[in-house]
Amino acid sequence: MADNNAKLNVGGNAHDFDVLDGSIGPSVVNISSLYKDTGMFTYDPGFTSTASCESKITYIDGDEGTLLYRGYPIEQLADHGDFLESCYLLLYGELPTKAQKDDFVSRVTYHTMIHEQMNRFFSGFRRDAHPMAVMVGTVGALSAFYHDSTDITDPHQRMVASLRMIAKMPTIAAMAYKYHVGQPFVYPRNDLGYAANFLHMCFAVPCEEYKVNPVLARAMDRIFILHADHEQNASTSTVRLAGSSGANPFACIAAGIACLWGPAHGGANEAALNMLSEIGSVDRIPEFVARAKDKNDPFRLMGFGHRVYKNYDPRARIMQKTTHEVLGELGIKDDPLLDVAMELEKIALNDEYFVDKKLYPNIDFYSGITLRALGFPTTMFTVLFALARTVGWIAQWKEMVEDPSQRIGRPRQLYTGAKLRDYTPIDQRR
Ligand code: ACO
């Protein structure tokens, strides 16, 4: 329990601010009256010390390497549960009973198809478009198709919009993939589970039967669980900020997808696999480790380091296990990239630079190898992340919209530009 107030001296005047305690984790100083009281703002680029909201959904202890969804450790959810159960938990706060789960699964399943006219959106994209570009466009386009679920002040419409997004994201992601590889779209199959249906839509073709391997479907499902939410990261904060203006929910999720695309965020698994390919063999690792440590070289070990985790990312451990399961099931005995990854991990975890800076493998370090073994090209990796994270974005968006004290997000700035000056006519400018 922290002291219940904090003092700040500004220009010789002391100001008191409340300290608010969470259920676990650091307390916060409530500085919402700072400007009114002192005429000053706080300055925290990158929000390294700023809590932007109150939330009951996900908790991370970066020093311990802990990740909880609604209080449940990610390891337990990944070992014993399935993705749709985690979705229910994130959205509604409790694990479902059997009846609640059956009802939720059937409602999600009911929404898996997308409006037939949406198909035409895909053909508007160049064949070589990055599937994330296609995702940003097509998920944003959902806002033009489902007018009956966009009134965010109506709880029923919010619920329908949420289920639609969770249900339709695999269909859209699979269509982005099929378009990318030039194959016909495969419609959803509601007799399959969530992950199995997704694999079927990605890898089935009309000319032959495709049987989903249950071990691979389980691995896919676990990958979705690991990516489902991660508290106030860049894309989630983007969704919250977009949603704070009352924007269309589908458009808010499209904004989250756009943010996730960056290589410092969701694009890291693609970047990590590219890096492992570039390293190519174990004997070249020291050269790349030296580059990562060189201040004059912008190169970073992709899949290492995290803004919050200053310990092993708990998701990375589960992902490493999943990697071995998938490679084992597919009979891949020697994967040179896995050899490079395991050796690189060993070297970095014993290197003073990485130890001192607390740089540990994050989830993206192993996910690329697994997704590639499942048959996905690197360009699809971030798409799969977006598919899984959609439920987290929606749960966070819903929590925000349902908070009666919610206001539009409006950060302030430290202005360092030109002071007031008069307009100069063009013939007098130099
Ligand atoms: N390789 C080498 N050095 C690194 C790495 C890395 N992967 N990550 C951080 N560092 C160094 C930085 O150079 C910096 O050194 P300095 O203090 O001497 O200047 C120090 O560690 C701290 O790094 P910051 O960039 O300040 O840390 P921040 O918290 O802002 O960044 C980030 C976190 C973006 C994830 C960073 O570690 C990184 O770029 N990693 C590689 C990309 C990656 O794997 N991203 C995935 C994140 S997980 C996700 O989105 C699911």
Side-chain angles (χ1 to χ4, degrees):
M1 179 89 166
D3 266 350
N4 63 357
N5 85 38
K7 287 196 188 324
L8 180 69
N9 269 306
V10 181
N13 296 319
H15 298 271
D16 286 332
F17 297 97
D18 290 341
V19 170
L20 310 176
D21 296 320
S23 44
I24 35 175
S27 301
V28 300
V29 181
N30 179 2
I31 50 94
S32 52
S33 65
L34 182 76
Y35 180 57
K36 186 163 63 71
D37 294 351
T38 68
M40 287 178 129
F41 300 138
T42 54
Y43 181 60
D44 182 19
F47 307 115
T48 53
S49 301
T50 298
S52 61
C53 64
E54 184 188 325
S55 182
K56 293 181 168 52
I57 302 173
T58 295
Y59 175 74
I60 302 170
D61 185 328
D63 295 322
E64 291 293 323
T66 308
L67 169 61
L68 312 177
Y69 291 167
R70 301 282 191 180
Y72 295 101
I74 189 70
E75 294 84 351
Q76 292 182 21
L77 294 169
D79 276 350
H80 307 300
D82 62 34
F83 179 65
L84 285 182
E85 189 177 74
S86 283
C87 290
Y88 186 99
L89 176 68
L90 289 166
L91 286 173
Y92 302 115
E94 297 298 335
L95 285 169
T97 61
K98 168 92 175 66
Q100 287 167 332
K101 178 149 181 221
D102 289 348
D103 176 57
F104 182 70
V105 170
S106 95
R107 282 192 293 155
V108 169
T109 307
Y110 175 74
H111 285 290
T112 50
M113 282 177 65
I114 59 168
H115 196 291
E116 192 63 14
Q117 248 181 301
M118 279 280 296
N119 293 4
R120 298 204 206 131
F121 262 85
F122 288 86
S123 45
F125 287 98
R126 280 171 56 137
R127 280 277 174 205
D128 59 356
H130 195 291
M132 278 300 272
V134 176
M135 291 298 286
V136 174
T138 49
V139 173
L142 291 178
S143 55
F145 285 91
Y146 298 103
H147 299 290
D148 60 336
S149 62
T150 57
D151 175 2
I152 64 158
T153 61
D154 175 354
H156 176 74
Q157 293 199 32
R158 281 203 297 274
M159 187 268 290
V160 175
S162 304
L163 294 180
R164 276 192 169 135
M165 280 186 271
I166 294 167
K168 293 182 196 309
M169 204 54 91
T171 313
I172 296 176
M175 288 169 81
Y177 171 68
K178 285 299 199 190
Y179 186 73
H180 194 50
V181 293
Q183 291 180 4
F185 297 142
V186 174
Y187 284 90
R189 274 215 4 220
N190 290 351
D191 59 322
L192 297 173
Y194 192 86
N197 172 47
F198 175 63
L199 290 177
H200 186 265
M201 286 189 291
C202 287
F203 300 122
V205 285
C207 50
E208 60 186 59
E209 201 194 345
Y210 173 81
K211 267 207 167 357
V212 181
N213 177 327
V215 175
L216 303 187
R218 174 72 187 123
M220 188 79 260
D221 193 77
R222 199 177 299 130
I223 292 171
F224 292 159
I225 297 174
L226 298 183
H227 288 88
D229 195 43
H230 214 228
E231 54 117 310
Q232 310 310 320
N233 54 81
S235 56
T236 302
S237 300
T238 301
V239 171
R240 278 189 178 255
L241 198 55
S244 76
S245 71
N248 179 289
F250 299 102
C252 294
I253 300 305
I257 296 173
C259 178
L260 186 74
W261 192 357
H265 193 6
N269 52 12
E270 183 175 342
L273 192 77
N274 291 340
M275 177 195 73
L276 292 174
S277 306
E278 199 189 335
I279 297 175
S281 59
V282 168
D283 58 301
R284 294 190 66 208
I285 293 175
E287 177 197 326
F288 282 83
V289 169
R291 282 186 61 196
K293 289 156 56 172
D294 181 355
K295 277 238 159 285
N296 300 316
D297 189 329
F299 175 78
R300 284 185 170 199
L301 282 190
M302 299 315 283
F304 266 80
H306 196 277
R307 170 61 63 79
V308 180
Y309 293 117
K310 302 303 168 196
N311 199 328
Y312 212 101
D313 178 342
R315 301 167 303 170
R317 283 191 208 288
I318 306 167
M319 185 58 83
Q320 191 198 48
K321 208 171 92 191
T322 304
T323 305
H324 286 290
E325 273 170 26
V326 167
L327 296 187
E329 178 64 18
L330 293 172
I332 303 173
K333 293 213 172 48
D334 295 312
D335 182 336
L337 296 197
L338 182 63
D339 294 345
V340 172
M342 286 175 56
E343 188 60 22
L344 180 58
E345 178 182 348
K346 212 187 305 164
I347 292 176
L349 289 179
N350 289 301
D351 188 295
E352 210 178 312
Y353 174 93
F354 292 90
V355 173
D356 284 356
K357 293 187 190 304
K358 300 189 171 161
L359 297 169
Y360 291 85
N362 59 49
I363 187 172
D364 294 318
F365 190 61
Y366 283 105
S367 62
I369 298 175
T370 321
L371 296 176
R372 190 188 55 141
L374 286 171
F376 292 103
T378 48
T379 45
M380 276 298 287
F381 292 178
T382 319
V383 172
L384 302 185
F385 190 162
L387 186 174
R389 182 56 57 84
T390 295
V391 65
W393 290 329
I394 294 168
Q396 302 270 352
W397 168 83
K398 188 168 159 292
E399 182 178 66
M400 180 191 67
V401 173
E402 290 171 2
D403 177 354
S405 63
Q406 186 264 324
R407 305 166 74 188
I408 186 167
R410 176 53 170 97
R412 301 298 195 137
Q413 65 172 3
L414 171 66
Y415 177 68
T416 54
K419 292 188 178 163
L420 178 69
R421 50 187 172 166
D422 286 325
Y423 180 83
T424 318
I426 196 161
D427 57 352
Q428 291 171 29
R429 289 178 212 160
R430 273 184 264 145

